[in-house]
Amino acid sequence: MNLIFFGPPGAGKGTQAQLLQHREGIPQISTGDMLRAAIRAQTPLGRRAQKFVDAGELVPDDVMIDIVQERLNQPDARRGFVLDGFPRTVKQAQALDRVLEAGGRQIDVAVYFEVSDEVIVLRLAGRRVCKQGHIYNLEASPPKVPGRCDIDGNPLFQREDDREETVRKRLEVYHRETEPLTDLYRRRGIFARLRDGDIETVYRNLVAIVKAKTASQKPD
Ligand code: AMP
């Protein structure tokens, strides 16, 4: 199963991708997590990406396309993947098509996480993460022990780019650069809209959507 998750920052893509990975064994490929790991390790990629990520801007397409291409060609991703946060521009979407086509693969479903800007701003103010990328929300899904990750015990912190001013910038970039993908995938018949809700309800709807969409694409 080859899935794309797209939608505004903080819409729940990462949370749902982590659940799918845990419960169904489909690897989550989060470009945001890959960049944050590179920034922490101060690799050449991390040093190049940092100023864009901190400012809520997109990292240049050519950089992103290279790292995703390499990741998609690893053995675990050949059996299926959830792309969380990529593509984010039409150019990235076209490059993704080329990479997949070259390996005889294609996207099965592009899932659009629909959440209003007002909800996003409120939600990201309460988001906390650990350095492994496990996600909590102080209101909706708090950790069992305050300030500690349930999974690995690491301290939780607020992402630098989850501060309100940067969130507004990320939303602006999202509407301008990423929202046009909606039309592209709708025209192709692989678009599915996922409504917001509590985590387990969204997960159930996600699984139902993916099953229905892939069943309808299979030849009889
Ligand atoms: P995310 O965790 O998906 O919200 O990504 C955090 C930040 O990483 C974004 O605000 C961008 O600066 C950068 N980033 C992640 N994915 C991409 C992408 N596909 N293209 C460009 N920049 C990206």
Side-chain angles (χ1 to χ4, degrees):
M1 185 74 58
N2 300 335
L3 305 176
I4 289 175
F5 283 4
F6 74 112
K13 303 183 295 290
T15 300
Q16 296 297 328
Q18 284 178 6
L19 284 178
L20 262 187
Q21 171 162 290
H22 186 66
R23 295 179 185 177
E24 301 293 330
I26 306 176
Q28 172 198 19
I29 301 179
S30 159
T31 44
D33 283 352
M34 289 161 86
L35 292 172
R36 281 183 289 278
I39 291 170
R40 265 201 312 278
Q42 283 293 294
T43 64
L45 165 68
R47 283 201 294 275
R48 184 156 181 216
Q50 181 150 23
K51 64 173 185 294
F52 298 102
V53 174
D54 285 350
E57 304 274 1
L58 293 183
V59 174
D61 285 334
D62 54 339
V63 176
M64 296 312 300
I65 290 164
D66 282 353
I67 61 174
V68 169
Q69 173 161 20
E70 194 188 319
R71 180 67 186 89
L72 284 174
N73 285 329
Q74 287 169 12
D76 64 331
R78 295 206 150 265
R79 292 187 298 274
F81 55 79
V82 177
L83 265 178
D84 160 14
F86 185 97
R88 257 174 156 100
T89 64
V90 171
K91 197 168 164 210
Q92 291 181 12
Q94 290 165 342
L96 176 63
D97 288 342
R98 283 196 297 277
V99 170
L100 293 178
E101 267 163 37
R105 294 181 284 176
Q106 59 180 20
I107 300 298
D108 296 304
V109 190
V111 182
Y112 171 60
F113 284 65
E114 188 177 42
V115 186
S116 72
D117 286 9
E118 302 84 82
V119 171
I120 293 296
V121 172
L122 280 178
R123 191 183 285 178
L124 288 187
R127 175 157 79 175
R128 297 291 181 272
V129 296
C130 77
K131 66 175 184 186
Q132 302 294 338
H134 300 125
I135 305 164
Y136 300 85
N137 188 282
L138 297 180
E139 295 295 324
S141 52
K144 293 196 182 79
V145 178
R148 293 269 156 201
C149 177
D150 293 350
I151 298 164
D152 52 36
N154 283 317
L156 299 181
F157 56 90
Q158 182 173 38
R159 274 169 48 176
E160 198 59 41
D161 60 347
D162 277 350
R163 294 172 200 284
E164 181 167 344
E165 208 184 289
T166 317
V167 168
R168 294 206 182 273
K169 177 74 196 169
R170 289 161 69 202
L171 280 168
E172 180 197 315
V173 170
Y174 166 75
H175 289 301
R176 193 179 63 235
E177 303 285 347
T178 312
E179 219 162 45
L181 298 182
T182 311
D183 278 343
L184 195 145
Y185 291 123
R186 198 180 267 130
R187 280 200 301 274
R188 211 185 282 178
I190 57 170
F191 174 84
R193 183 190 303 268
L194 186 60
R195 272 213 308 278
D196 195 29
D198 68 78
I199 292 173
E200 288 299 333
T201 307
V202 174
Y203 185 76
R204 268 199 309 279
N205 292 339
L206 170 66
V207 170
I209 280 174
V210 169
K211 275 199 182 129
K213 202 81 189 159
T214 45
S216 73
Q217 283 166 10
K218 281 203 187 93
D220 293 327

